[in-house]
Amino acid sequence: MSTDRRLPAPAVPLLAAILILAATAAAQPLPPWRVLPIRSQEEARLGRTGGEAEQHPQGIARSASDPDRLYLSHDVGQLWRSDDNGRTWRKTLGAGMFVKCGQSVEADPADADTVLMIVDSAWDWFARDYEGVYRSTDAGETWDLVLKTPAEHQRFHQHCLAYDPASTGPAGASRWYAGFPAGGLFASEDGGRSWTKTADLAAHQRVYGVYAHATDGRTVYLATSEGLLVSTDRGADPRPLGDLPAGEVSGLAFHPTDPGRLYAAVLGVGLFVSADGGTHFEPLRLAADTQGVFAHGGNPKVIYFISRRTGSLVSTDAGRTWRPIHA
């Protein structure tokens, strides 16, 4: 069945759109919102919305070298790409990618065509041997399976692939990290071509995110079902960090210019802020519907609070006041 590939996109699904906004210029006004489902040509012809409850954006990445290039991971449709800052999208070819369920995705900071993606097989037991990390150097058209490892199907936004900004040169980022729930934390020193397991995550049923420190080249943070972890040895020996309340750390975000200032969302508890790299946290917004957090990449005062049920919020004064993000 053919698909409607040139989709007008004044907005995208909520979590994906917030990530896009977090990387845009501070002066740009917030756009209106509209659901952007994937639909067949026949659905489009009949005026149907499409996306009947089975389409979930799992992750999104913007190229640092080409801000108009966006990649969207789809939980039953691999990877979608926009070359015009989200206005239109197309399904990438996906040759060599033998499983369909997209999870985390990240673009190389120096080469917009190099993209890495975690993909799993979900219910397709016959394809279990093809789960893991895939790498493409032609913007998602063809892929190599570079890390073959079981990948649990996580149906929520996640950031389980990360490059180390301190390892970035003209040829791209050399150091990468990948985290898998009930599996392990892996590191690559050659741009994601080969991988080594650095830590066991068998006790962690969910991994929400893996994040490399912006400048020191050694520190790695993990947001998991068991709380916030940190490694100061490039992924080895991760240990609990900070004085957050007990619970799942379902989101982590960093100040765009101060790597020691970070925001942590504790699932169903609230949003917390740390000014000392995560050693001490203070509550910024306590709320039983807390799901996640994003920080604006260009304006340090803008923070997005992601709600589970009652509507997400934005603050333009570093969390002192909040207002709804209207659909």
Side-chain angles (χ1 to χ4, degrees):
M1 179 175 66
S2 59
T3 56
D4 179 15
R5 295 187 174 187
R6 301 298 292 178
L7 296 174
V12 297
L14 181 58
L15 287 177
I18 287 174
L19 277 177
I20 293 172
L21 287 172
T24 54
Q28 184 173 344
L30 295 178
W33 298 90
R34 184 171 62 83
V35 174
L36 180 64
I38 298 169
R39 56 183 179 173
S40 68
Q41 289 181 347
E42 181 65 12
E43 286 175 321
R45 187 185 68 82
L46 295 174
R48 294 179 179 172
T49 302
E52 287 76 20
E54 80 279 8
Q55 297 180 21
H56 296 258
Q58 302 290 87
I60 194 167
R62 180 191 292 275
S63 167
S65 60
D66 178 5
D68 283 338
R69 175 69 61 80
L70 302 170
Y71 295 101
L72 179 66
S73 173
H74 188 276
D75 78 331
V76 295
Q78 297 179 340
L79 188 71
W80 289 68
R81 187 182 82 223
S82 173
D83 299 320
D84 55 10
N85 197 27
R87 293 177 179 83
T88 60
W89 294 82
R90 64 179 295 268
K91 172 71 177 68
T92 58
L93 181 62
M97 184 177 281
F98 303 114
V99 282
K100 69 179 68 172
C101 301
Q103 298 285 301
S104 295
V105 61
E106 186 59 275
D108 186 277
D111 180 4
D113 288 343
T114 296
V115 56
L116 279 74
M117 187 174 174
I118 294 175
V119 192
D120 75 273
S121 61
W123 60 88
D124 187 359
W125 292 90
F126 295 102
R128 282 295 171 96
D129 287 342
Y130 299 99
E131 294 181 325
V133 177
Y134 284 77
R135 184 176 186 269
S136 172
T137 57
D138 58 5
E141 300 304 312
T142 61
W143 297 86
D144 293 313
L145 178 57
V146 291
L147 173 58
K148 184 178 176 181
T149 188
E152 295 293 327
H153 192 60
Q154 302 191 114
R155 270 200 160 177
F156 48 77
H157 176 269
Q158 58 202 267
H159 185 270
C160 296
L161 275 170
Y163 61 82
D164 185 345
S167 74
T168 302
S174 59
R175 185 174 304 114
W176 287 73
Y177 299 100
F180 294 86
L185 179 65
F186 295 80
S188 171
E189 295 289 340
D190 58 4
R193 296 173 180 83
S194 62
W195 295 81
T196 301
K197 188 173 182 177
T198 62
D200 182 41
L201 298 178
H204 301 260
Q205 295 183 348
R206 286 167 292 281
V207 176
Y208 293 92
V210 177
Y211 309 83
H213 192 280
T215 59
D216 74 5
R218 303 195 66 83
T219 302
V220 185
Y221 300 92
L222 292 89
T224 81
S225 56
E226 302 304 306
L228 179 61
L229 307 180
V230 66
S231 165
T232 55
D233 190 17
R234 294 178 178 172
D237 190 29
R239 60 190 185 279
L241 174 65
D243 53 2
L244 288 167
E248 302 188 28
V249 176
S250 52
L252 203 62
F254 294 82
H255 189 281
T257 59
D258 178 3
R261 188 173 183 83
L262 57 129
Y263 305 94
V266 180
L267 186 67
V269 177
L271 177 62
F272 299 82
V273 61
S274 171
D276 58 7
T279 301
H280 302 289
F281 283 90
E282 295 181 358
L284 197 59
R285 178 179 173 79
L286 298 178
D289 63 346
T290 300
Q291 175 68 45
V293 59
F294 296 101
H296 197 292
N299 187 338
K301 293 185 178 182
V302 177
I303 310 165
Y304 301 93
F305 171 88
I306 309 305
S307 164
R308 301 174 71 181
R309 303 179 187 89
T310 59
S312 296
L313 306 172
V314 60
S315 172
T316 57
D317 54 13
R320 288 188 291 273
T321 62
W322 300 85
R323 64 176 176 80
I325 299 175
H326 294 290

